[in-house]
Amino acid sequence: ILNVEQSPQSLHVQEGDSTNFTCSFPSSNFYALHWYRWETAKSPEALFVMTLNGDEKKKGRISATLNTKEGYSYLYIKGSQPEDSATYLCASMKTSYDKVIFGPGTSLSVIP
Amino acid sequence: GAVVSQHPSWVICKSGTSVKIECRSLDFQATTMFWYRQFPKQSLMLMATSNEGSKATYEQGVEKDKFLINHASLTLSTLTVTSAHPEDSSFYICSASGRPTVTDTQYFGPGTRLTVL
């Protein structure tokens, strides 16, 4: 794939549910994969930077995995809370000096 | 830490006028700043990259005379949309990377919504 893709485009979950979404990126010439959380009217917030195949990162109830050979990353949220409602962006880098290519984002709404 | 501010948060202007957007790193030295544009339901699209004290590098298809970028200090970059037209209406957002911050991570401002009448 030439672009960074994310699925689903949007999802709605009940408070307490766990959820996950996908980021697909070009697997050739991979350097790093970023995840950002973007709440409405705020700045995108960096969640994770991942570089190694098989890497797994965790921040509270949010975790992410990385498969560089097949070109995908999963973001998991355990026990979703209303404050998790945001758009989650992933972004891929081919090299340390190359530009970052963003996916279109997954919009998550957590219903109380 | 690593806070980036951006002003104004929204602006409405008449066609033909110029608009300046400021992007500031508040607690770190922004050696590199990035300007993005986002159309509804689309990805953030990189417009240009600027290193402090150097001319900006523009992405293909972005008019450098239309979108003037200045990165005169380690804490400030500005984007000026010259002779704005309705098709320039969009969401513009800046980001910065530098020191001391997490390597390769960009820190974003909150964005500017530009509407050209």
Side-chain angles (χ1 to χ4, degrees), chain B residues 25-59:
Chain B
S25 59
L26 300 184
D27 53 2
F28 68 101
Q29 294 181 328
T31 51
T32 305
M33 283 187 163
F34 307 85
W35 286 95
Y36 293 85
R37 184 174 180 176
Q38 186 185 37
F39 291 106
K41 298 189 184 300
Q42 295 189 22
S43 310
L44 294 175
M45 298 299 296
L46 181 66
M47 298 174 67
T49 303
S50 70
N51 293 301
E52 184 264 338
S54 302
K55 287 184 179 180
T57 301
Y58 290 81
E59 294 298 304

Side-chain angles (χ1 to χ4, degrees), chain A residues 81-101:
Chain A
Q81 299 297 308
E83 58 265 31
D84 296 328
S85 297
T87 295
Y88 291 82
L89 300 174
C90 70
S92 173
M93 293 174 72
K94 289 183 181 179
T95 66
S96 62
Y97 50 85
D98 203 0
K99 64 182 179 182
V100 175
I101 305 296

Side-chain angles (χ1 to χ4, degrees), chain B residues 94-111:
Chain B
C94 70
S95 68
S97 62
R99 52 183 185 264
T101 59
V102 176
T103 302
D104 296 325
T105 295
Q106 294 182 27
Y107 298 89
F108 283 85

Side-chain angles (χ1 to χ4, degrees), chain A residues 27-48:
Chain A
S27 55
S28 59
N29 300 320
F30 173 82
Y31 174 72
L33 191 283
H34 300 253
W35 280 101
Y36 288 86
R37 174 172 60 201
W38 193 359
E39 295 179 65
T40 302
K42 294 186 178 180
S43 305
E45 172 197 358
L47 289 175
F48 306 114

Side-chain angles (χ1 to χ4, degrees), chain A residues 4-109:
Chain A
V4 177
E5 299 172 353
Q6 291 186 247
S7 62
Q9 183 178 6
S10 65
L11 72 163
H12 302 261
V13 300
Q14 289 290 136
E15 181 176 355
D17 287 351
S18 294
T19 187
N20 65 85
F21 21 94
T22 307
C23 172
S24 301
F25 55 88
S27 55
S28 59
N29 300 320
F30 173 82
Y31 174 72
L33 191 283
H34 300 253
W35 280 101
Y36 288 86
R37 174 172 60 201
W38 193 359
E39 295 179 65
T40 302
K42 294 186 178 180
S43 305
E45 172 197 358
L47 289 175
F48 306 114
V49 179
M50 308 175 77
T51 56
L52 299 176
N53 184 47
D55 207 2
E56 182 170 344
K57 298 235 172 163
K58 189 174 181 181
K59 184 176 182 179
R61 294 179 290 98
I62 303 176
S63 61
T65 60
L66 180 66
N67 182 321
T68 62
K69 296 185 187 300
E70 295 181 43
Y72 65 83
S73 175
Y74 293 136
L75 188 82
Y76 300 91
I77 302 178
K78 184 178 179 182
S80 302
Q81 299 297 308
E83 58 265 31
D84 296 328
S85 297
T87 295
Y88 291 82
L89 300 174
C90 70
S92 173
M93 293 174 72
K94 289 183 181 179
T95 66
S96 62
Y97 50 85
D98 203 0
K99 64 182 179 182
V100 175
I101 305 296
F102 280 87
T106 292
S107 175
L108 172 67
S109 295

Side-chain angles (χ1 to χ4, degrees), chain B residues 28-94:
Chain B
F28 68 101
Q29 294 181 328
T31 51
T32 305
M33 283 187 163
F34 307 85
W35 286 95
Y36 293 85
R37 184 174 180 176
Q38 186 185 37
F39 291 106
K41 298 189 184 300
Q42 295 189 22
S43 310
L44 294 175
M45 298 299 296
L46 181 66
M47 298 174 67
T49 303
S50 70
N51 293 301
E52 184 264 338
S54 302
K55 287 184 179 180
T57 301
Y58 290 81
E59 294 298 304
Q60 191 173 14
V62 178
E63 299 174 59
K64 63 176 77 174
D65 295 330
K66 174 77 169 174
F67 299 99
L68 301 179
I69 292 172
N70 184 281
H71 190 172
S73 77
L74 281 171
T75 59
L76 174 64
S77 176
T78 60
L79 167 67
T80 301
V81 183
T82 62
S83 186
H85 291 283
E87 59 265 29
D88 299 323
S89 298
S90 189
F91 184 78
Y92 295 87
I93 189 167
C94 70

